[in-house]
Amino acid sequence: MNNAQLNELKNKYVANGAASPATQFADRAENSVIWDVDGNRIIDFAGGIGVLNIGHCHPKVVAAVQAQVANLMHTCQIVIPYAGYVQVAEKLSQLAPVRGHGKVMLVNSGAEALENAVKIARAATGKNNVICFDGGYHGRTLFTMAMNGKVAPYAGDFGTMPGNVFRAPYPVPSLGVSEEEAIRRLHTTLKTDANPRDTAAIVIEPVLGEGGFHPAPASFLKAIRDICDEHGMLMIVDEVQSGFGRTGKMFAIEHSGVQPDLITMAKSMAAGMPISAIVGTDKYMDASGPNSLGGTYSGSPASCAAVLAVLEVFEEENILARSMALGEKLGQRFTQWQEQFASVENVRHLGSMAAFDLVTADHKPDAELTAAMCKLAREKGLILIACGFYGNTLRFLMPVTIEDEVLEEGLAIVEACLAEFAA
Ligand code: PMP
């Protein structure tokens, strides 16, 4: 079937809220390029929203998944376990910088990881509240929607959100929130709404993802660690988007030296297979009773095989160093654009988690221009995606393994789009 025929099916059969606005249907992909069903070549600067740090269809991951599904596809690991689950648990425990000895549970999506992190924090502390941040994003299940620090398009149509979620501002000086102010307001939240006596955890993305690719200062993350320790609350770090090499470290929190109690991870940990994990200090992970965590597909054999292959690729192909090098290149190019185009501001990157803002002539967030940039780029054969509290951030999540020529080709398209709108 071609794009036109598939669009007809989409319009007729796919629920409005779940349908992609894109009109090209992906057929196959390799590293940083997708071909659609009509044979068009599209450069991918989104990586399935941060899932493909080692590229589309990495041969090593494909082979591992194929071998696994030929042998064992499913048992439900609480019915009868298999090697992959415990091997992944061992590796993640060794890699994730949580305090003390880390234990692991696996689930299927980022949102599910956050849901379970909150369950674990409640069981471990006997308390109910969580504190999250303005602009934060944690998923689309009911509780994670309540945790998100932005309403549209996530929670607006879905009625009353679960309670016990409180919020504080994330430190983003370009949006008028200094680190000092953010700490002061967090203390205010603890005084006015979220009594520490009733608060189980503070949940923070070490680099705000959907909220605009803003890294939190190390001193802010340390302050949260101290506040959690003072009040017997858990520090939960959401690395669903920032983890698995995006920032040049395995986990973004490593840049700060802070050891959280729990870390949630998903996306690039399995290069496209659905899986997520919570890694946390053993006494917290073991706080809930037998059969209190998990689900039918949690940590499926094929997804576990993918994780183990991904971790080998990280070693063999020096992914962390390449993420740093890619980030440097992006930073340099964006800085050139900032000098060249009045619309480009606030260039930033931590490793290859890189972004800049688009603004109007009077320096206001320009979401319209940002959407138009993404649309024009798509017409020129490049997938470019936006994010940000005001929807005016262009974020870059191309595979860390992108070939130099393809990177250059994609950046040239972004530059051509900027030039076209500047004219
Ligand atoms: N947390 C963060 C930081 C994310 O970026 C996302 C997804 N963008 C999620 C949680 C939710 O992940 P999923 O879409 O797999 O449920």
Side-chain angles (χ1 to χ4, degrees), residues 29-41:
E30 213 180 288
N31 199 15
S32 47
V33 174
I34 299 173
W35 287 267
D36 77 3
V37 290
D38 291 349
N40 298 304
R41 177 175 171 274

Side-chain angles (χ1 to χ4, degrees), residues 169 176-186 220:
V177 184
S178 66
E179 182 184 347
E180 248 177 18
E181 167 80 355
I183 291 175
R184 195 180 65 73
R185 296 275 301 279
L186 177 57
F220 184 72

Side-chain angles (χ1 to χ4, degrees), residues 109-111 114 137-139 205 210 238 240-241 267:
S109 68
L114 270 297
Y137 182 80
H138 303 288
E205 295 164 81
E210 300 302 312
D238 182 354
V240 167
Q241 192 157 170
K267 292 194 187 269

Side-chain angles (χ1 to χ4, degrees), residues 274-342:
I275 190 168
S276 61
I278 303 102
V279 185
T281 308
D282 49 5
K283 66 178 173 193
Y284 303 133
M285 295 299 289
D286 287 336
S288 69
N291 206 16
S292 58
L293 300 170
T296 306
Y297 297 109
S298 302
S300 91
S303 294
C304 286
V307 177
L308 295 172
V310 164
L311 291 174
E312 283 180 25
V313 172
F314 266 75
E315 291 283 317
E316 289 163 10
E317 300 188 17
N318 229 344
I319 297 299
L320 299 182
R322 287 168 75 177
S323 174
M324 282 296 195
L326 173 62
E328 286 307 311
K329 264 191 213 164
L330 294 175
Q332 276 168 21
R333 191 64 170 264
F334 297 173
T335 304
Q336 271 173 27
W337 292 342
Q338 185 163 326
E339 283 158 16
Q340 208 176 336
F341 302 106

Side-chain angles (χ1 to χ4, degrees), residues 75-98:
T75 64
C76 185
Q77 82 91 27
I78 42 185
V79 176
I80 175 164
Y82 36 86
Y85 192 111
V86 293
Q87 286 167 337
V88 167
E90 179 192 27
K91 293 272 186 222
L92 296 183
S93 167
Q94 288 163 354
L95 283 171
V98 295

